[in-house]
Amino acid sequence: MSAGHDYSGVTVAGPRERPVTDPTSLHTAYLLSLGDDALVYAQRLGEWMTHAPQIEEDMALGNVGLDLLGQARALLTRAGEVEGRGRDEDAMAMLRDEREFRNVHLVEQPRGDFGQEMARLLWFASYQHELYTALVSSADETVAGVAQKAVKEVDYHRDHATQWVLRLGDGTPTSHARMQAGLEAVHPYVAELGEDFAAARWAAEHGVGVLPSTLSDGVNAYVADVLEQATLSMPDEPRWRARGGREGVHSEAMGYLLAELQHVARSHPGATW
Amino acid sequence: MTQAGWPLWEVFVRPRRGLSHGHVGSLHAPDAQMALRNARDVYTRRQEGVSIWVVASADITASSPEERDSFFDPAADKVYRHPTFYEVPEDVEYL
């Protein structure tokens, strides 16, 4: 993490790095933060195929993942255009290394039990719902277009998580305990969703994006309401919390996720079928 | 959440306005609201419908194969019950 590393021109400064201030890099970084959240969570949700409680739930989580993958494709394509170095969606998804990914830690964490996944989906879909609602009026037409389509998709994702959290929370003593444990497990990763970062500040100033901190109230209110109905309690302020994803600093799980995601594309460069 | 604990639901989808709901299949779900959502995910992924009904399979009373002879065979030779003696205007697609 020494100063002056060139992360293909799209890296925004971490704590000890030279701040990136040119608009192209900041715009690209903002698009990557949106696209990488969707791409990486799509990968995690895809892991549920054949592992969900029923085949119907395999389908549901697969559909959510595919919705997110569709969002990621459009956003990563746009990031490549703005960057202007000839990288398409495949190059963005398959040929970037860990330090170039700008997703939050929440979406890269390994799959827990089903309750924990519903806790993660509830938070993430609630965040994305607030996010895309705001981005409908983005000055970047691609972002506005994606947001318009995606807001309906994430509305359904949020509903799916809500239905399950209500049933598991207000179900049996075992389901209640495991749902509460799932909420506790994801809680240290939640705050990062609402944390402002350099590229988002640039994007908000230029009408392209929105400051994550302005979304938190809506997200928290929605989740708190669901938890109350589900007889669950909002976890206490965690003693530690994840940070750094937006600057490309990830947790241990991220390298393994990318290895699986990118393996085929890197083993057979340019392969088509 | 054992698999045996999830009842079976029959799914009916209306392909578009003006048509009636048709049976498309069945699925498992813990309750009616979840069955409706599962049906959305399993049976309308490719824009197959504009409306979904779900019915608990246990609530359907069905004719049994043993009743087939008495139920259906007597209609076989009643050709006069078919509206084949009328001219159907060409524009009427669903009659």
PDB file of all heavy atoms in Angstrom, chain A residues 137-172:
ATOM      1  N   SER A 137     -32.718  10.225 -11.255  1.00  0.00           N
ATOM      2  CA  SER A 137     -32.507  11.559 -11.843  1.00  0.00           C
ATOM      3  C   SER A 137     -31.027  11.873 -12.057  1.00  0.00           C
ATOM      4  O   SER A 137     -30.638  13.031 -12.146  1.00  0.00           O
ATOM      5  CB  SER A 137     -33.139  12.620 -10.940  1.00  0.00           C
ATOM      6  OG  SER A 137     -32.655  12.490  -9.622  1.00  0.00           O
ATOM      7  N   SER A 138     -30.202  10.828 -12.170  1.00  0.00           N
ATOM      8  CA  SER A 138     -28.761  11.047 -12.387  1.00  0.00           C
ATOM      9  C   SER A 138     -28.487  11.778 -13.695  1.00  0.00           C
ATOM     10  O   SER A 138     -29.174  11.571 -14.696  1.00  0.00           O
ATOM     11  CB  SER A 138     -28.033   9.700 -12.400  1.00  0.00           C
ATOM     12  OG  SER A 138     -26.690   9.862 -12.842  1.00  0.00           O
ATOM     13  N   ALA A 139     -27.450  12.609 -13.679  1.00  0.00           N
ATOM     14  CA  ALA A 139     -27.023  13.306 -14.900  1.00  0.00           C
ATOM     15  C   ALA A 139     -26.354  12.346 -15.879  1.00  0.00           C
ATOM     16  O   ALA A 139     -26.224  12.661 -17.061  1.00  0.00           O
ATOM     17  CB  ALA A 139     -26.058  14.436 -14.527  1.00  0.00           C
ATOM     18  N   ASP A 140     -25.901  11.202 -15.392  1.00  0.00           N
ATOM     19  CA  ASP A 140     -25.357  10.154 -16.271  1.00  0.00           C
ATOM     20  C   ASP A 140     -26.537   9.328 -16.768  1.00  0.00           C
ATOM     21  O   ASP A 140     -27.199   8.627 -15.995  1.00  0.00           O
ATOM     22  CB  ASP A 140     -24.372   9.279 -15.476  1.00  0.00           C
ATOM     23  CG  ASP A 140     -23.690   8.237 -16.360  1.00  0.00           C
ATOM     24  OD1 ASP A 140     -24.358   7.685 -17.258  1.00  0.00           O
ATOM     25  OD2 ASP A 140     -22.491   7.971 -16.143  1.00  0.00           O
ATOM     26  N   GLU A 141     -26.811   9.420 -18.068  1.00  0.00           N
ATOM     27  CA  GLU A 141     -28.043   8.811 -18.590  1.00  0.00           C
ATOM     28  C   GLU A 141     -28.076   7.299 -18.426  1.00  0.00           C
ATOM     29  O   GLU A 141     -29.138   6.706 -18.243  1.00  0.00           O
ATOM     30  CB  GLU A 141     -28.221   9.182 -20.062  1.00  0.00           C
ATOM     31  CG  GLU A 141     -28.760  10.588 -20.240  1.00  0.00           C
ATOM     32  CD  GLU A 141     -28.963  10.959 -21.698  1.00  0.00           C
ATOM     33  OE1 GLU A 141     -29.093  10.041 -22.525  1.00  0.00           O
ATOM     34  OE2 GLU A 141     -28.999  12.162 -21.990  1.00  0.00           O
ATOM     35  N   THR A 142     -26.908   6.665 -18.515  1.00  0.00           N
ATOM     36  CA  THR A 142     -26.873   5.215 -18.302  1.00  0.00           C
ATOM     37  C   THR A 142     -27.266   4.882 -16.869  1.00  0.00           C
ATOM     38  O   THR A 142     -28.046   3.963 -16.624  1.00  0.00           O
ATOM     39  CB  THR A 142     -25.474   4.654 -18.607  1.00  0.00           C
ATOM     40  OG1 THR A 142     -25.128   5.005 -19.946  1.00  0.00           O
ATOM     41  CG2 THR A 142     -25.453   3.145 -18.461  1.00  0.00           C
ATOM     42  N   VAL A 143     -26.717   5.634 -15.936  1.00  0.00           N
ATOM     43  CA  VAL A 143     -27.050   5.408 -14.525  1.00  0.00           C
ATOM     44  C   VAL A 143     -28.545   5.619 -14.301  1.00  0.00           C
ATOM     45  O   VAL A 143     -29.208   4.806 -13.635  1.00  0.00           O
ATOM     46  CB  VAL A 143     -26.226   6.344 -13.614  1.00  0.00           C
ATOM     47  CG1 VAL A 143     -26.702   6.251 -12.170  1.00  0.00           C
ATOM     48  CG2 VAL A 143     -24.745   5.994 -13.699  1.00  0.00           C
ATOM     49  N   ALA A 144     -29.092   6.683 -14.870  1.00  0.00           N
ATOM     50  CA  ALA A 144     -30.521   6.960 -14.709  1.00  0.00           C
ATOM     51  C   ALA A 144     -31.353   5.824 -15.302  1.00  0.00           C
ATOM     52  O   ALA A 144     -32.358   5.401 -14.713  1.00  0.00           O
ATOM     53  CB  ALA A 144     -30.881   8.287 -15.368  1.00  0.00           C
ATOM     54  N   GLY A 145     -30.917   5.327 -16.460  1.00  0.00           N
ATOM     55  CA  GLY A 145     -31.644   4.239 -17.106  1.00  0.00           C
ATOM     56  C   GLY A 145     -31.608   2.958 -16.296  1.00  0.00           C
ATOM     57  O   GLY A 145     -32.630   2.291 -16.115  1.00  0.00           O
ATOM     58  N   VAL A 146     -30.418   2.615 -15.798  1.00  0.00           N
ATOM     59  CA  VAL A 146     -30.287   1.416 -14.955  1.00  0.00           C
ATOM     60  C   VAL A 146     -31.159   1.568 -13.713  1.00  0.00           C
ATOM     61  O   VAL A 146     -31.876   0.642 -13.318  1.00  0.00           O
ATOM     62  CB  VAL A 146     -28.809   1.191 -14.554  1.00  0.00           C
ATOM     63  CG1 VAL A 146     -28.700   0.121 -13.469  1.00  0.00           C
ATOM     64  CG2 VAL A 146     -27.980   0.794 -15.766  1.00  0.00           C
ATOM     65  N   ALA A 147     -31.108   2.747 -13.107  1.00  0.00           N
ATOM     66  CA  ALA A 147     -31.851   2.972 -11.865  1.00  0.00           C
ATOM     67  C   ALA A 147     -33.350   2.808 -12.073  1.00  0.00           C
ATOM     68  O   ALA A 147     -34.042   2.203 -11.259  1.00  0.00           O
ATOM     69  CB  ALA A 147     -31.542   4.365 -11.325  1.00  0.00           C
ATOM     70  N   GLN A 148     -33.823   3.331 -13.201  1.00  0.00           N
ATOM     71  CA  GLN A 148     -35.257   3.264 -13.476  1.00  0.00           C
ATOM     72  C   GLN A 148     -35.743   1.813 -13.559  1.00  0.00           C
ATOM     73  O   GLN A 148     -36.796   1.468 -13.045  1.00  0.00           O
ATOM     74  CB  GLN A 148     -35.535   3.964 -14.799  1.00  0.00           C
ATOM     75  CG  GLN A 148     -36.921   4.536 -14.899  1.00  0.00           C
ATOM     76  CD  GLN A 148     -36.919   5.788 -15.781  1.00  0.00           C
ATOM     77  OE1 GLN A 148     -36.065   5.933 -16.653  1.00  0.00           O
ATOM     78  NE2 GLN A 148     -37.861   6.681 -15.552  1.00  0.00           N
ATOM     79  N   LYS A 149     -34.938   0.978 -14.212  1.00  0.00           N
ATOM     80  CA  LYS A 149     -35.287  -0.431 -14.364  1.00  0.00           C
ATOM     81  C   LYS A 149     -35.055  -1.175 -13.046  1.00  0.00           C
ATOM     82  O   LYS A 149     -35.864  -1.998 -12.623  1.00  0.00           O
ATOM     83  CB  LYS A 149     -34.424  -1.027 -15.472  1.00  0.00           C
ATOM     84  CG  LYS A 149     -34.643  -2.480 -15.753  1.00  0.00           C
ATOM     85  CD  LYS A 149     -34.021  -2.828 -17.105  1.00  0.00           C
ATOM     86  CE  LYS A 149     -34.016  -4.327 -17.368  1.00  0.00           C
ATOM     87  NZ  LYS A 149     -33.003  -5.047 -16.587  1.00  0.00           N
ATOM     88  N   ALA A 150     -33.931  -0.869 -12.399  1.00  0.00           N
ATOM     89  CA  ALA A 150     -33.503  -1.640 -11.235  1.00  0.00           C
ATOM     90  C   ALA A 150     -34.356  -1.364  -9.999  1.00  0.00           C
ATOM     91  O   ALA A 150     -34.469  -2.225  -9.130  1.00  0.00           O
ATOM     92  CB  ALA A 150     -32.039  -1.335 -10.930  1.00  0.00           C
ATOM     93  N   VAL A 151     -34.962  -0.193  -9.934  1.00  0.00           N
ATOM     94  CA  VAL A 151     -35.706   0.120  -8.715  1.00  0.00           C
ATOM     95  C   VAL A 151     -36.885  -0.849  -8.536  1.00  0.00           C
ATOM     96  O   VAL A 151     -37.226  -1.245  -7.420  1.00  0.00           O
ATOM     97  CB  VAL A 151     -36.158   1.606  -8.707  1.00  0.00           C
ATOM     98  CG1 VAL A 151     -37.332   1.859  -9.616  1.00  0.00           C
ATOM     99  CG2 VAL A 151     -36.455   2.077  -7.295  1.00  0.00           C
ATOM    100  N   LYS A 152     -37.439  -1.302  -9.664  1.00  0.00           N
ATOM    101  CA  LYS A 152     -38.521  -2.299  -9.581  1.00  0.00           C
ATOM    102  C   LYS A 152     -37.964  -3.659  -9.180  1.00  0.00           C
ATOM    103  O   LYS A 152     -38.612  -4.405  -8.446  1.00  0.00           O
ATOM    104  CB  LYS A 152     -39.218  -2.421 -10.944  1.00  0.00           C
ATOM    105  CG  LYS A 152     -40.073  -1.223 -11.292  1.00  0.00           C
ATOM    106  CD  LYS A 152     -40.788  -1.449 -12.616  1.00  0.00           C
ATOM    107  CE  LYS A 152     -40.364  -0.424 -13.632  1.00  0.00           C
ATOM    108  NZ  LYS A 152     -40.868  -0.656 -14.975  1.00  0.00           N
ATOM    109  N   GLU A 153     -36.789  -3.969  -9.691  1.00  0.00           N
ATOM    110  CA  GLU A 153     -36.171  -5.254  -9.336  1.00  0.00           C
ATOM    111  C   GLU A 153     -35.849  -5.310  -7.848  1.00  0.00           C
ATOM    112  O   GLU A 153     -36.188  -6.279  -7.167  1.00  0.00           O
ATOM    113  CB  GLU A 153     -34.885  -5.457 -10.155  1.00  0.00           C
ATOM    114  CG  GLU A 153     -35.134  -5.588 -11.651  1.00  0.00           C
ATOM    115  CD  GLU A 153     -33.855  -5.571 -12.485  1.00  0.00           C
ATOM    116  OE1 GLU A 153     -32.792  -5.167 -11.973  1.00  0.00           O
ATOM    117  OE2 GLU A 153     -33.932  -5.962 -13.661  1.00  0.00           O
ATOM    118  N   VAL A 154     -35.197  -4.262  -7.346  1.00  0.00           N
ATOM    119  CA  VAL A 154     -34.776  -4.318  -5.946  1.00  0.00           C
ATOM    120  C   VAL A 154     -35.967  -4.169  -4.999  1.00  0.00           C
ATOM    121  O   VAL A 154     -35.896  -4.607  -3.850  1.00  0.00           O
ATOM    122  CB  VAL A 154     -33.672  -3.288  -5.621  1.00  0.00           C
ATOM    123  CG1 VAL A 154     -32.449  -3.540  -6.504  1.00  0.00           C
ATOM    124  CG2 VAL A 154     -34.134  -1.877  -5.761  1.00  0.00           C
ATOM    125  N   ASP A 155     -37.044  -3.587  -5.487  1.00  0.00           N
ATOM    126  CA  ASP A 155     -38.271  -3.545  -4.691  1.00  0.00           C
ATOM    127  C   ASP A 155     -38.713  -4.979  -4.394  1.00  0.00           C
ATOM    128  O   ASP A 155     -39.111  -5.305  -3.272  1.00  0.00           O
ATOM    129  CB  ASP A 155     -39.362  -2.799  -5.479  1.00  0.00           C
ATOM    130  CG  ASP A 155     -40.562  -2.477  -4.604  1.00  0.00           C
ATOM    131  OD1 ASP A 155     -40.357  -2.201  -3.404  1.00  0.00           O
ATOM    132  OD2 ASP A 155     -41.695  -2.520  -5.117  1.00  0.00           O
ATOM    133  N   TYR A 156     -38.596  -5.832  -5.398  1.00  0.00           N
ATOM    134  CA  TYR A 156     -38.958  -7.239  -5.200  1.00  0.00           C
ATOM    135  C   TYR A 156     -37.944  -7.953  -4.293  1.00  0.00           C
ATOM    136  O   TYR A 156     -38.325  -8.760  -3.438  1.00  0.00           O
ATOM    137  CB  TYR A 156     -39.072  -7.959  -6.544  1.00  0.00           C
ATOM    138  CG  TYR A 156     -39.600  -9.362  -6.369  1.00  0.00           C
ATOM    139  CD1 TYR A 156     -40.961  -9.599  -6.172  1.00  0.00           C
ATOM    140  CD2 TYR A 156     -38.733 -10.437  -6.339  1.00  0.00           C
ATOM    141  CE1 TYR A 156     -41.433 -10.875  -5.968  1.00  0.00           C
ATOM    142  CE2 TYR A 156     -39.203 -11.727  -6.131  1.00  0.00           C
ATOM    143  CZ  TYR A 156     -40.552 -11.941  -5.945  1.00  0.00           C
ATOM    144  OH  TYR A 156     -41.012 -13.206  -5.725  1.00  0.00           O
ATOM    145  N   HIS A 157     -36.655  -7.663  -4.465  1.00  0.00           N
ATOM    146  CA  HIS A 157     -35.640  -8.287  -3.614  1.00  0.00           C
ATOM    147  C   HIS A 157     -35.895  -7.938  -2.147  1.00  0.00           C
ATOM    148  O   HIS A 157     -35.820  -8.795  -1.271  1.00  0.00           O
ATOM    149  CB  HIS A 157     -34.232  -7.803  -3.973  1.00  0.00           C
ATOM    150  CG  HIS A 157     -33.875  -7.972  -5.430  1.00  0.00           C
ATOM    151  ND1 HIS A 157     -32.775  -7.379  -5.998  1.00  0.00           N
ATOM    152  CD2 HIS A 157     -34.475  -8.655  -6.434  1.00  0.00           C
ATOM    153  CE1 HIS A 157     -32.715  -7.701  -7.277  1.00  0.00           C
ATOM    154  NE2 HIS A 157     -33.744  -8.453  -7.573  1.00  0.00           N
ATOM    155  N   ARG A 158     -36.211  -6.677  -1.945  1.00  0.00           N
ATOM    156  CA  ARG A 158     -36.459  -6.219  -0.579  1.00  0.00           C
ATOM    157  C   ARG A 158     -37.684  -6.900  -0.003  1.00  0.00           C
ATOM    158  O   ARG A 158     -37.704  -7.314   1.159  1.00  0.00           O
ATOM    159  CB  ARG A 158     -36.644  -4.686  -0.599  1.00  0.00           C
ATOM    160  CG  ARG A 158     -36.674  -4.048   0.767  1.00  0.00           C
ATOM    161  CD  ARG A 158     -36.772  -2.540   0.675  1.00  0.00           C
ATOM    162  NE  ARG A 158     -38.070  -2.104   0.161  1.00  0.00           N
ATOM    163  CZ  ARG A 158     -38.536  -0.865   0.236  1.00  0.00           C
ATOM    164  NH1 ARG A 158     -37.786   0.082   0.789  1.00  0.00           N
ATOM    165  NH2 ARG A 158     -39.708  -0.551  -0.258  1.00  0.00           N
ATOM    166  N   ASP A 159     -38.705  -7.054  -0.838  1.00  0.00           N
ATOM    167  CA  ASP A 159     -39.920  -7.729  -0.383  1.00  0.00           C
ATOM    168  C   ASP A 159     -39.633  -9.190  -0.050  1.00  0.00           C
ATOM    169  O   ASP A 159     -40.128  -9.717   0.944  1.00  0.00           O
ATOM    170  CB  ASP A 159     -41.004  -7.645  -1.470  1.00  0.00           C
ATOM    171  CG  ASP A 159     -42.247  -8.432  -1.081  1.00  0.00           C
ATOM    172  OD1 ASP A 159     -42.949  -7.977  -0.164  1.00  0.00           O
ATOM    173  OD2 ASP A 159     -42.491  -9.508  -1.667  1.00  0.00           O
ATOM    174  N   HIS A 160     -38.831  -9.828  -0.875  1.00  0.00           N
ATOM    175  CA  HIS A 160     -38.512 -11.238  -0.639  1.00  0.00           C
ATOM    176  C   HIS A 160     -37.827 -11.413   0.719  1.00  0.00           C
ATOM    177  O   HIS A 160     -38.201 -12.280   1.513  1.00  0.00           O
ATOM    178  CB  HIS A 160     -37.616 -11.767  -1.761  1.00  0.00           C
ATOM    179  CG  HIS A 160     -37.421 -13.246  -1.718  1.00  0.00           C
ATOM    180  ND1 HIS A 160     -38.384 -14.134  -2.139  1.00  0.00           N
ATOM    181  CD2 HIS A 160     -36.393 -14.003  -1.265  1.00  0.00           C
ATOM    182  CE1 HIS A 160     -37.946 -15.371  -1.965  1.00  0.00           C
ATOM    183  NE2 HIS A 160     -36.732 -15.322  -1.437  1.00  0.00           N
ATOM    184  N   ALA A 161     -36.828 -10.582   0.967  1.00  0.00           N
ATOM    185  CA  ALA A 161     -36.132 -10.637   2.251  1.00  0.00           C
ATOM    186  C   ALA A 161     -37.090 -10.313   3.396  1.00  0.00           C
ATOM    187  O   ALA A 161     -37.072 -10.962   4.445  1.00  0.00           O
ATOM    188  CB  ALA A 161     -34.949  -9.668   2.249  1.00  0.00           C
ATOM    189  N   THR A 162     -37.939  -9.303   3.178  1.00  0.00           N
ATOM    190  CA  THR A 162     -38.889  -8.906   4.218  1.00  0.00           C
ATOM    191  C   THR A 162     -39.800 -10.072   4.604  1.00  0.00           C
ATOM    192  O   THR A 162     -40.006 -10.358   5.784  1.00  0.00           O
ATOM    193  CB  THR A 162     -39.747  -7.721   3.733  1.00  0.00           C
ATOM    194  OG1 THR A 162     -38.882  -6.631   3.409  1.00  0.00           O
ATOM    195  CG2 THR A 162     -40.747  -7.300   4.787  1.00  0.00           C
ATOM    196  N   GLN A 163     -40.343 -10.733   3.587  1.00  0.00           N
ATOM    197  CA  GLN A 163     -41.258 -11.852   3.855  1.00  0.00           C
ATOM    198  C   GLN A 163     -40.585 -12.915   4.706  1.00  0.00           C
ATOM    199  O   GLN A 163     -41.177 -13.462   5.638  1.00  0.00           O
ATOM    200  CB  GLN A 163     -41.738 -12.465   2.532  1.00  0.00           C
ATOM    201  CG  GLN A 163     -42.538 -11.531   1.640  1.00  0.00           C
ATOM    202  CD  GLN A 163     -43.812 -11.045   2.301  1.00  0.00           C
ATOM    203  OE1 GLN A 163     -44.427 -11.742   3.101  1.00  0.00           O
ATOM    204  NE2 GLN A 163     -44.201  -9.829   1.988  1.00  0.00           N
ATOM    205  N   TRP A 164     -39.341 -13.209   4.375  1.00  0.00           N
ATOM    206  CA  TRP A 164     -38.639 -14.258   5.127  1.00  0.00           C
ATOM    207  C   TRP A 164     -38.262 -13.807   6.522  1.00  0.00           C
ATOM    208  O   TRP A 164     -38.377 -14.578   7.482  1.00  0.00           O
ATOM    209  CB  TRP A 164     -37.400 -14.718   4.354  1.00  0.00           C
ATOM    210  CG  TRP A 164     -37.722 -15.822   3.396  1.00  0.00           C
ATOM    211  CD1 TRP A 164     -37.576 -15.808   2.044  1.00  0.00           C
ATOM    212  CD2 TRP A 164     -38.257 -17.118   3.722  1.00  0.00           C
ATOM    213  NE1 TRP A 164     -37.994 -17.006   1.512  1.00  0.00           N
ATOM    214  CE2 TRP A 164     -38.416 -17.829   2.519  1.00  0.00           C
ATOM    215  CE3 TRP A 164     -38.629 -17.737   4.914  1.00  0.00           C
ATOM    216  CZ2 TRP A 164     -38.927 -19.128   2.466  1.00  0.00           C
ATOM    217  CZ3 TRP A 164     -39.144 -19.025   4.868  1.00  0.00           C
ATOM    218  CH2 TRP A 164     -39.277 -19.707   3.656  1.00  0.00           C
ATOM    219  N   VAL A 165     -37.816 -12.568   6.665  1.00  0.00           N
ATOM    220  CA  VAL A 165     -37.441 -12.086   7.993  1.00  0.00           C
ATOM    221  C   VAL A 165     -38.670 -12.079   8.900  1.00  0.00           C
ATOM    222  O   VAL A 165     -38.593 -12.469  10.075  1.00  0.00           O
ATOM    223  CB  VAL A 165     -36.786 -10.688   7.899  1.00  0.00           C
ATOM    224  CG1 VAL A 165     -36.593 -10.089   9.289  1.00  0.00           C
ATOM    225  CG2 VAL A 165     -35.436 -10.782   7.178  1.00  0.00           C
ATOM    226  N   LEU A 166     -39.821 -11.691   8.351  1.00  0.00           N
ATOM    227  CA  LEU A 166     -41.053 -11.713   9.147  1.00  0.00           C
ATOM    228  C   LEU A 166     -41.386 -13.132   9.598  1.00  0.00           C
ATOM    229  O   LEU A 166     -41.732 -13.370  10.753  1.00  0.00           O
ATOM    230  CB  LEU A 166     -42.225 -11.159   8.334  1.00  0.00           C
ATOM    231  CG  LEU A 166     -42.202  -9.665   8.027  1.00  0.00           C
ATOM    232  CD1 LEU A 166     -43.354  -9.294   7.097  1.00  0.00           C
ATOM    233  CD2 LEU A 166     -42.279  -8.852   9.315  1.00  0.00           C
ATOM    234  N   ARG A 167     -41.271 -14.077   8.683  1.00  0.00           N
ATOM    235  CA  ARG A 167     -41.658 -15.449   9.014  1.00  0.00           C
ATOM    236  C   ARG A 167     -40.674 -16.128   9.955  1.00  0.00           C
ATOM    237  O   ARG A 167     -41.061 -16.866  10.854  1.00  0.00           O
ATOM    238  CB  ARG A 167     -41.813 -16.256   7.728  1.00  0.00           C
ATOM    239  CG  ARG A 167     -43.136 -15.963   7.044  1.00  0.00           C
ATOM    240  CD  ARG A 167     -43.116 -16.384   5.595  1.00  0.00           C
ATOM    241  NE  ARG A 167     -44.391 -16.107   4.960  1.00  0.00           N
ATOM    242  CZ  ARG A 167     -44.815 -14.898   4.601  1.00  0.00           C
ATOM    243  NH1 ARG A 167     -44.047 -13.849   4.826  1.00  0.00           N
ATOM    244  NH2 ARG A 167     -46.002 -14.731   4.038  1.00  0.00           N
ATOM    245  N   LEU A 168     -39.388 -15.885   9.710  1.00  0.00           N
ATOM    246  CA  LEU A 168     -38.383 -16.530  10.568  1.00  0.00           C
ATOM    247  C   LEU A 168     -38.339 -15.857  11.936  1.00  0.00           C
ATOM    248  O   LEU A 168     -38.220 -16.521  12.967  1.00  0.00           O
ATOM    249  CB  LEU A 168     -37.006 -16.487   9.891  1.00  0.00           C
ATOM    250  CG  LEU A 168     -36.901 -17.294   8.589  1.00  0.00           C
ATOM    251  CD1 LEU A 168     -35.552 -17.042   7.904  1.00  0.00           C
ATOM    252  CD2 LEU A 168     -37.100 -18.780   8.843  1.00  0.00           C
ATOM    253  N   GLY A 169     -38.427 -14.534  11.948  1.00  0.00           N
ATOM    254  CA  GLY A 169     -38.398 -13.805  13.216  1.00  0.00           C
ATOM    255  C   GLY A 169     -39.594 -14.130  14.077  1.00  0.00           C
ATOM    256  O   GLY A 169     -39.467 -14.383  15.283  1.00  0.00           O
ATOM    257  N   ASP A 170     -40.755 -14.152  13.476  1.00  0.00           N
ATOM    258  CA  ASP A 170     -42.003 -14.400  14.211  1.00  0.00           C
ATOM    259  C   ASP A 170     -42.454 -15.839  13.993  1.00  0.00           C
ATOM    260  O   ASP A 170     -43.639 -16.124  13.883  1.00  0.00           O
ATOM    261  CB  ASP A 170     -43.080 -13.420  13.720  1.00  0.00           C
ATOM    262  CG  ASP A 170     -44.232 -13.339  14.707  1.00  0.00           C
ATOM    263  OD1 ASP A 170     -44.076 -13.832  15.836  1.00  0.00           O
ATOM    264  OD2 ASP A 170     -45.283 -12.797  14.325  1.00  0.00           O
ATOM    265  N   GLY A 171     -41.492 -16.773  13.905  1.00  0.00           N
ATOM    266  CA  GLY A 171     -41.823 -18.178  13.666  1.00  0.00           C
ATOM    267  C   GLY A 171     -41.670 -19.000  14.917  1.00  0.00           C
ATOM    268  O   GLY A 171     -42.347 -18.761  15.921  1.00  0.00           O
ATOM    269  N   THR A 172     -40.773 -19.963  14.879  1.00  0.00           N
ATOM    270  CA  THR A 172     -40.518 -20.817  16.049  1.00  0.00           C
ATOM    271  C   THR A 172     -39.388 -20.208  16.871  1.00  0.00           C
ATOM    272  O   THR A 172     -38.665 -19.332  16.389  1.00  0.00           O
ATOM    273  CB  THR A 172     -40.086 -22.226  15.593  1.00  0.00           C
ATOM    274  OG1 THR A 172     -38.810 -22.114  14.933  1.00  0.00           O
ATOM    275  CG2 THR A 172     -41.101 -22.835  14.630  1.00  0.00           C
TER     276      THR A 172
END
